[in-house]
């Protein structure tokens, strides 16, 4: 089979809307839907059910000005059998928009959602029992891919790598009013390299091999505002900041566990020189660390970094390790200010 839908003209832009389309039970060895250059294809109220792609991607837009947007669409039981993306947007000036869509039991070989240019907006969408067998589930690549996720839920999904990877310091991820529940990731749940803001978002019963959230880039700040972290388990730490700024405010960490030893905590601040961490109005309740030298909040610090902590509540937390190497609930290291 060839491409199921191919839209495009040479020299002039083409806008094409598909409404209330039902595509069910198809198998193709190439792109299921391919959007050519200078094309704007909009899917509204469409259902994609029980389809299989054996040789390429489900949806592809890889030429300049090839725009894809999905509104109130359903994706159920669709499978990619090779290492390719489910939805792939890689053309210059080609935003990717998903709004009000439901994804249930869909799997890709490579990243599930991939975008490398302009806006990458996911709004009021539901992802359940879906996954990427290798590479990040959501892959936002390059300085121009601006990732925004709002009012969306991710439940019982899997990935062969990071669940969300925002790759560039100039790409500022914004995650608002979302929930991540029972996600399994072999590395980090979120790896965010730019200035990032997480607001009013729930992280519940997720499991990662290394870190739940990491913000690693010097010169950038991660903010976590009004969010909840409940019964998550990670080997090293829940939130690891080694950029320049960390702000956590109005958030609750309850019943989380980290299992490895080393210089980590439920929150690990390892920010660069001349950076600062501000932690205030948070609750740390019933959390547990089982490894040596691990804390609930740990600031490894830099000789010229500063930590400001105030109006935080710590209750019923447990730090592990042998008597000779047990950490404190809060551990502040050299040059990192006074809690």
């Amino acid at each position: 089979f060839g491409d199921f839908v191919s839209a495009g003209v040479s020299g002039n832009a083409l806008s094409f809307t598909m409404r209330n389309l039902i595509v069910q039970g198809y198998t193709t060895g190439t792109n299921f839907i391919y959007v050519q250059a200078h094309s704007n294809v909009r899917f509204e109220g469409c259902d994609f059910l029980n389809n299989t792609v054996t040789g390429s991607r489900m949806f592809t837009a890889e030429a300049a000005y090839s725009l894809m947007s999905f509104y109130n669409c359903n994706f159920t039981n669709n499978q990619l059998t090779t290492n390719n993306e489910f939805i792939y947007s890689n053309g210059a000036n080609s935003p990717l928009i998903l709004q009000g869509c439901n994804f249930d039991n869909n799997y890709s070989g490579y990243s599930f959602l991939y975008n490398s240019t302009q806006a990458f907006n996911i709004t009021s969408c539901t992802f359940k029992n879906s996954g990427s067998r290798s590479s990040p589930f959501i892959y936002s690549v390059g300085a121009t891919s601006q990732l925004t996720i709002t009012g969306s839920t991710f439940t019982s999904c899997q990935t062969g790598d990071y669940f969300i990877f925002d790759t560039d310091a100039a790409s500022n991820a914004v995650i608002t009013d979302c929930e991540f529940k029972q996600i399994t990731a072999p590395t980090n749940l979120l790896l965010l390299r730019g200035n990032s803001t997480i607001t009013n978002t729930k992280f519940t019963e997720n499991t990662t091999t290394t870190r739940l959230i990491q913000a690693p880039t010097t010169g950038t700040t991660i903010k976590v505002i009004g969010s909840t972290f409940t019964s998550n388990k990670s080997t090293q730490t829940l939130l690891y900041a080694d950029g320049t700024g960390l702000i956590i405010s109005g958030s609750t960490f309850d019943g989380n566990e980290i299992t490895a030893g080393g210089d980590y905590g439920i929150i690990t601040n390892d920010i660069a020189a001349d950076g600062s961490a501000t932690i205030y109005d948070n609750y740390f309740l019933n959390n547990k660390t089982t490894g040596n030298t691990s804390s609930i909040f740990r600031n490894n610090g830099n000789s010229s970094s500063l930590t400001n902590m105030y109006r935080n509540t710590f209750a019923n937390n447990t730090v592990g390790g042998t008597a000779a190497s047990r950490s404190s609930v809060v551990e502040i290291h050299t040059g990192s200010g006074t809690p």
Side-chain angles (χ1 to χ4, degrees):
F1 295 90
D3 297 331
F4 186 76
V5 174
S6 182
V9 295
S10 177
N12 296 300
L14 169 68
S15 294
F16 183 39
T17 300
M18 302 179 67
R19 295 187 179 92
N20 303 319
L21 176 71
I22 299 175
V23 182
Q24 183 172 2
Y26 280 88
T27 298
T28 179
T30 182
N31 293 290
F32 195 73
I33 292 179
Y34 185 89
V35 179
Q36 294 182 359
H38 297 277
S39 303
N40 183 351
V41 180
R42 178 184 175 111
F43 300 89
E44 296 181 1
C46 297
D47 293 330
F48 300 92
L49 313 172
N50 304 309
N51 301 294
T52 303
V53 179
T54 61
S56 190
R57 306 177 181 105
M58 197 78 181
F59 301 89
T60 298
E62 58 185 351
Y65 299 96
S66 54
L67 283 65
M68 284 189 296
S69 56
F70 301 84
Y71 296 87
N72 303 313
C73 294
N74 293 307
F75 305 81
T76 304
N77 297 328
N78 299 289
Q79 309 290 326
L80 274 67
T81 62
T82 57
N83 287 332
N84 285 289
E85 299 82 2
F86 194 87
I87 298 177
Y88 180 85
S89 177
N90 192 39
N93 301 298
S94 301
L96 176 60
I97 299 171
L98 296 93
Q99 182 172 316
C101 294
N102 296 310
F103 296 82
D104 189 0
N105 196 36
N106 302 278
Y107 283 87
S108 61
Y110 197 59
S111 297
F112 195 82
L113 304 177
Y114 180 105
N115 183 66
S116 66
T117 64
Q118 291 203 338
F120 188 1
N121 295 339
I122 302 169
T123 306
S124 301
C125 292
T126 300
F127 298 81
K128 184 178 179 181
N129 299 320
S130 297
S132 57
R133 297 184 182 91
S134 65
S135 297
F137 186 86
I138 296 176
Y139 205 174
S140 178
V141 179
T144 58
S145 180
Q146 300 294 317
L147 177 63
T148 302
I149 307 176
T150 306
S152 297
T153 61
F154 303 82
T155 306
S156 299
C157 295
Q158 301 84 38
T159 177
D161 201 333
Y162 310 111
F163 191 73
I164 296 177
F165 186 13
D166 190 28
T167 68
D168 199 279
S171 176
N172 302 321
V174 178
I175 300 173
T176 306
D177 296 328
C178 293
E179 182 172 17
F180 298 86
K181 184 175 182 179
Q182 297 174 348
I183 307 297
T184 301
T187 51
N188 300 342
L189 189 76
L190 311 180
L191 179 58
L192 308 173
R193 291 195 180 277
N195 290 306
S196 304
T197 303
I198 300 171
T199 306
N200 296 330
T201 291
K202 298 177 181 178
F203 297 87
T204 308
E205 299 176 359
N206 301 293
T207 302
T208 66
T209 302
T210 52
R211 300 157 182 173
L212 196 75
I213 301 172
Q214 182 175 2
T217 308
T218 299
T220 65
T221 295
I222 182 170
K223 300 178 182 177
V224 178
I225 311 297
S227 296
T228 60
F229 297 77
T230 307
S231 301
N232 300 284
K233 182 178 285 188
S234 187
T235 302
Q236 291 183 347
T237 183
L238 255 66
L239 197 162
Y240 184 84
D242 53 344
T244 301
L246 169 64
I247 298 172
I248 305 176
S249 172
S251 295
T252 299
F253 298 80
D254 188 356
N256 303 286
E257 182 179 358
I258 60 172
T259 59
D263 297 333
Y264 295 105
I266 296 292
I267 307 298
T268 305
N269 181 37
D270 203 5
I271 57 179
D274 301 318
S276 65
T278 302
I279 316 296
Y280 65 98
D281 292 337
N282 302 292
Y283 289 87
F284 298 87
L285 312 172
N286 308 305
N287 300 292
K288 181 180 180 181
T289 71
T290 58
N292 291 335
T293 67
S294 56
S295 311
I296 303 303
F297 177 85
R298 184 180 180 91
N299 192 353
N300 292 326
N302 184 282
S303 60
S304 56
S305 65
L306 178 66
T307 298
N308 302 293
M309 297 185 68
Y310 51 94
R311 296 198 304 267
N312 298 292
T313 299
F314 293 82
N316 299 320
N317 298 289
T318 303
V319 293
T322 63
S325 59
R326 187 171 295 133
S327 251
S328 305
V329 171
V330 177
E331 188 155 342
I332 307 294
H333 279 258
T334 58
S336 49
T338 301

